[in-house]
Amino acid sequence: MRRPVLLVIAHGSRDPRHAATVHALVERVRSLRPGLRVETGFLDFNVPSVHGVLQSLAAEGVRDVVALPLLLTRAFHAKADIPAVLRDAPARLRIRQADVLGPSPLLLSALERRLREAGLSPADKSSTGVVLASAGSSDPEAIAVIADIAREWWHTGWCAVRPAFASASLPRTEDAVRELRALGCERVAVAPYVLAPGFLPDRIARGAAGADVLAEVLGPAPEVARVLLERYDSACRPALAALGA
């Protein structure tokens, strides 16, 4: 059986750093899985559009596609926007929508990587409070997931971990920084739980002005690329099982 094409679906942004980061992540995925065809489509602002990529694949004779939302939580885009776009795909395509990336232990490893790269060492964990700074959502399910991740991460040895949101929800990054200071954490670090630079990550960075450490966005971290492939493999598994592969 020929493996389905992996179509990575990104939101898109007017900020050119966003698309550049998405493309870098996709290139890392390709490097981890040589021979797998990986395409990128954007919902808005950037090209190629998801619709355009699907039309091109159908015109080439492709039959099977795994559409993977480049999202960390299952909120409006994963529940409504992306399914709507996929319903408009050419009828000849068999499309399976993969799960969003989070939560995943690999993403926690990527957050740890970014904090180490920003200057923290394992010895700093017990005296450091961390703000897990997400883009935010009006979806209660997505907000609950971020809170759960913060609790899970705290149990790995940090002094404290607090969730924060750049939009739609509270607290803001700066409020969480102040809370960790009040708790008596020796230092405060902000870890953006976002995939690519843009408007909301910039808001997170401004809110981190009172922190000691600001990590980079997750971007093309190898752990993130591995999560993409895990989600792809999970989406392919039922079809392979049906064929006895």
Side-chain angles (χ1 to χ4, degrees):
M1 174 184 175
R2 178 176 293 179
R3 284 275 178 174
V5 172
L6 170 55
L7 172 58
V8 176
I9 301 179
H11 182 271
S13 171
R14 292 187 178 90
D15 188 324
R17 296 174 297 168
H18 174 89
T21 302
V22 170
H23 290 310
L25 174 58
V26 168
E27 282 302 317
R28 187 177 288 276
V29 171
R30 290 185 179 120
S31 73
L32 291 175
R33 189 71 62 86
L36 173 62
R37 181 172 178 181
V38 188
E39 300 290 342
T40 308
F42 295 91
L43 291 173
D44 206 352
F45 302 117
N46 303 106
V47 292
S49 68
V50 176
H51 178 75
V53 174
L54 292 171
Q55 292 284 343
S56 295
L57 291 174
E60 290 178 32
V62 169
R63 292 298 304 275
D64 293 290
V65 176
V66 168
L68 195 156
L70 198 60
L71 301 168
L72 294 172
T73 58
R74 182 172 159 74
F76 182 79
H77 293 305
K79 294 177 179 179
D81 283 354
I82 291 174
V85 172
L86 298 181
R87 282 195 296 270
D88 287 338
R92 68 169 285 116
L93 292 176
R94 292 189 293 255
I95 303 175
R96 292 183 288 279
Q97 182 175 331
D99 289 337
V100 297
L101 303 185
S104 167
L106 284 169
L107 294 177
L108 282 181
S109 296
L111 288 166
E112 298 261 358
R113 170 191 292 275
R114 292 301 186 227
L115 287 171
R116 289 196 305 272
E117 292 169 350
L120 291 180
S121 72
D124 296 323
K125 290 188 75 166
S126 62
S127 58
T128 301
V130 179
V131 178
L132 179 68
S134 169
S137 172
S138 58
D139 189 312
E141 178 187 349
I143 298 305
V145 166
I146 299 301
D148 288 344
I149 293 170
R151 283 191 291 271
E152 179 183 350
W153 203 15
W154 171 57
H155 288 301
T156 67
W158 296 99
C159 175
V161 180
R162 293 291 184 271
F165 307 94
S167 69
S169 307
L170 295 174
R172 295 286 183 256
T173 302
E174 53 268 34
D175 299 326
V177 169
R178 284 193 291 267
E179 181 184 352
L180 291 172
R181 291 282 187 213
L183 281 174
C185 297
E186 186 176 315
R187 67 184 63 77
V188 176
V190 173
Y193 190 60
V194 293
L195 287 166
F199 176 75
L200 293 178
D202 285 349
R203 181 179 288 178
I204 290 171
R206 291 193 296 272
D212 302 293
V213 173
L214 172 62
E216 294 291 331
V217 300
L218 295 173
E223 296 87 352
V224 179
R226 287 167 57 197
V227 176
L228 263 72
L229 289 171
E230 283 188 355
R231 298 294 183 257
Y232 170 82
D233 290 339
S234 294
C236 290
R237 202 164 290 133
L240 294 173
L243 292 172

